[in-house]
Amino acid sequence: MDTRSQMNVVENETQLVDDACHGSLDAFESLVKLYEPRIRRMLYGMTQDVQLTQDLCQDTFLAAYRALPRMEGKNLRFAPWLYRIALNLVRSEWRHHKHIKMVPFATPSGNDEHYFEEQQGEDYLVSDEHFEEQVMQRELVRRALAQLPESSAMCLLLDAEGYSYNEIAETLQDSLSAVRSRLARARQAFQRIYNRLDQEGR
């Protein structure tokens, strides 16, 4: 989707959501084109698994498509609703398959939504002169997050993705005060665990 087309979709999103709720496949496909790169990037940041990311992304939009006819299109805040579907699928995967890697801080930097398509998996690290250091940091982040409660890890993930407190609260369906408190504690706990693991590895 080119920049102009994407801007048109964003401007017409409310109408597209309403049309999709009333069965418009074209409207739904436009929403998929807008949100698929974001959902894929978030899922890959959580799993670090290309195939699992593709499967969960497909399942996210399939679940959304099936649920849309039951939603109130004009009142539906599509983005938080869609992210909740994706997060719930990851939660389910995480509960049933403990090998899943939660690495939210290892996602590529910048706003290039096509990065995932251009550089699959961890290939983007190969040309980095600090490859070994980044791999070690990635493993420390994974191990630190694995020791946090699931809700704390989710808060940190969304924070790392640039979400505001309000957006995190809406996405996780929690109060603003609860998110502020949990995120503050999660940051402190993560830093404490990360530093301990780093010292142990020296």
Side-chain angles (χ1 to χ4, degrees):
M1 181 182 297
D2 58 42
T3 302
R4 179 175 297 179
S5 297
Q6 191 171 38
M7 289 178 62
N8 289 336
V9 170
V10 172
E11 291 174 357
N12 299 324
E13 182 174 329
T14 300
Q15 186 60 52
L16 287 171
V17 171
D18 191 48
D19 290 346
C21 286
H22 287 86
S24 171
L25 184 57
D26 288 341
F28 181 73
E29 288 178 348
S30 294
L31 291 168
V32 171
K33 289 177 182 178
L34 177 62
Y35 282 102
E36 185 179 15
R38 306 179 194 181
I39 295 295
R40 238 187 306 125
R41 186 173 59 192
M42 182 193 73
L43 290 170
Y44 181 71
M46 297 172 73
T47 66
Q48 293 295 294
D49 185 311
V50 173
Q51 186 58 55
L52 181 57
T53 291
Q54 292 173 341
D55 292 344
L56 290 174
C57 189
Q58 183 177 9
D59 290 346
T60 295
F61 285 100
L62 181 59
Y65 181 73
R66 288 173 173 171
L68 275 172
R70 302 191 299 271
M71 309 304 292
E72 288 279 347
K74 292 294 186 181
N75 299 320
L76 177 63
R77 288 180 57 78
F78 186 76
W81 177 74
L82 185 65
Y83 273 88
R84 281 198 297 273
I85 293 174
L87 288 172
N88 285 336
L89 287 171
V90 173
R91 285 191 180 107
S92 177
E93 186 71 22
W94 199 14
R95 282 193 294 266
H96 291 92
H97 305 281
K98 291 297 184 180
H99 64 274
I100 187 171
K101 296 181 179 180
M102 294 287 293
V103 193
F105 307 116
T107 51
S109 59
N111 297 317
D112 187 354
E113 303 225 338
H114 300 293
Y115 192 98
F116 185 93
E117 297 170 358
E118 294 169 359
Q119 303 208 37
Q120 294 283 330
E122 298 184 4
D123 292 345
Y124 74 95
L125 280 174
V126 172
S127 61
D128 195 302
E129 60 182 352
H130 303 298
F131 173 81
E132 185 173 340
E133 180 182 351
Q134 288 201 30
V135 169
M136 291 176 63
Q137 290 176 347
R138 183 185 293 259
E139 176 63 15
L140 284 178
V141 168
R142 186 191 68 79
R143 291 171 59 195
L145 284 170
Q147 296 184 36
L148 291 175
E150 179 187 322
S151 58
S152 297
M154 291 296 181
C155 272
L156 286 174
L157 167 71
L158 294 173
D159 182 55
E161 283 287 313
Y163 273 54
S164 68
Y165 289 124
N166 284 324
E167 289 170 330
I168 294 174
E170 184 172 7
T171 300
L172 298 181
Q173 293 186 307
D174 211 342
S175 68
L176 183 59
S177 59
V179 166
R180 287 181 182 276
S181 177
R182 184 182 300 124
L183 191 52
R185 292 196 304 269
R187 286 169 176 162
Q188 293 174 356
F190 173 84
Q191 193 62 56
R192 185 168 58 251
I193 295 170
Y194 183 93
N195 289 342
R196 175 174 56 79
L197 293 174
D198 188 33
Q199 289 298 320
E200 290 174 356
R202 291 183 185 276

